Amino acid sequence: DAGITQSPRHKVTETGTPVTLRCHQTENHRYMYWYRQDPGHGLRLIHYSYGVKDTDKGEVSDGYSVSRSKTEDFLLTLESATSSQTSVYFCAISDGPSGTDTQYFGPGTRLTVL
Amino acid sequence: DAKTTQPTSMDCAEGRAANLPCNHSTISGNEYVYWYRQIHSQGPQYIIHGLKNNETNEMASLIITEDRKSSTLILPHATLRDTAVYYCIVTGSNYKLTFGKGTLLTVNP
């Protein structure tokens, strides 16, 4: 399995609080991605990174920000969590763009916003 | 990326081959067919991908029709641990994978 860890694995927080999820890789892959998964929607891309300090929005980026200061770490921040952000969050990595290289996924973080 | 159509669910007997179909009639020439699966509560797992030719690896085989409008993922000897949701994804080099609802494969003893 690709060396991807996510922390925390589970978190319960209250509406309005800031939350940061961390994705860490040991594969030295250039691309990193954050997805969320909700019942009835499948996985949806939130943000992705194509290098250190290079990030871009996905299809459901509102309410989320990301940062990548090192190759191995990609942080997802919810500045002020809302109940609609209750979801399972998956990080993925790849060595190239999705059409030419495989994405490998982390174990996920289950976030509950009360 | 081209849209894909998969059956909602399928059953397979343990030890038999599981054949999972996928239609992607609007696929363009530079788009790949990828298969992932997701076992309950885990992250999606890459299985196999291809462009035009049939592909085989230690997990599965991928058969792509000559016109590339459909494909079949074959698990040659399904086990109970293969019970999962299987996603067929068509993608070019645009950084994202679009996951649909996939096929829930249930392998029965």
Side-chain angles (χ1 to χ4, degrees), chain A residues 43-107:
Chain A
L43 278 88
R44 293 179 291 174
L45 182 66
I46 304 171
H47 281 280
Y48 64 94
S49 169
Y50 47 97
V52 173
K53 298 193 189 307
D54 293 322
T55 65
D56 206 347
K57 296 179 180 180
E59 62 180 307
V60 290
S61 60
D62 287 349
Y64 301 94
S65 62
V66 290
S67 65
R68 190 160 176 213
S69 58
K70 299 186 286 186
T71 298
E72 57 266 35
D73 289 325
F74 193 32
L75 304 181
L76 177 71
T77 298
L78 292 65
E79 301 289 349
S80 177
T82 68
S83 58
S84 64
Q85 294 175 311
T86 292
S87 188
V88 181
Y89 291 86
F90 289 101
C91 172
I93 65 174
S94 71
D95 212 17
S98 65
T100 58
D101 204 41
T102 301
Q103 289 188 25
Y104 296 95
F105 286 79

Side-chain angles (χ1 to χ4, degrees), chain A residues 11-23:
Chain A
K11 186 168 181 69
V12 179
T13 191
E14 294 190 348
T15 298
T17 59
V19 176
T20 295
L21 308 183
R22 180 185 184 228
C23 177

Side-chain angles (χ1 to χ4, degrees), chain A residues 15-40:
Chain A
T15 298
T17 59
V19 176
T20 295
L21 308 183
R22 180 185 184 228
C23 177
H24 179 76
Q25 60 145 330
T26 58
E27 305 296 322
N28 202 36
H29 281 3
R30 180 180 171 189
Y31 295 83
M32 298 185 75
Y33 312 80
W34 276 108
Y35 291 85
R36 61 177 288 175
Q37 185 170 34
D38 306 292

Side-chain angles (χ1 to χ4, degrees), chain B residues 91-105:
Chain B
T91 185
S93 57
N94 63 357
Y95 302 104
K96 68 175 185 180
L97 300 176
T98 300
F99 286 79
K101 295 195 164 113
T103 297
L104 172 60
L105 174 69

Side-chain angles (χ1 to χ4, degrees), chain B residues 9-20 35-40 42 45-47 57-61 73-87 102-109:
Chain B
S9 63
M10 294 182 65
D11 286 315
C12 177
E14 189 177 19
R16 304 298 292 268
N19 296 276
L20 291 89
W35 284 84
Y36 285 78
R37 73 180 182 184
Q38 189 172 24
I39 297 169
H40 181 62
Q42 297 181 21
Q45 177 188 23
Y46 165 77
I47 302 172
N57 63 21
E58 64 278 3
M59 286 182 69
S61 294
L73 178 74
I74 301 173
L75 307 179
H77 306 285
T79 71
L80 299 179
R81 288 177 295 179
D82 292 321
T83 292
V85 177
Y86 288 77
Y87 298 98
T103 297
L104 172 60
L105 174 69
T106 302
V107 180
N108 300 305

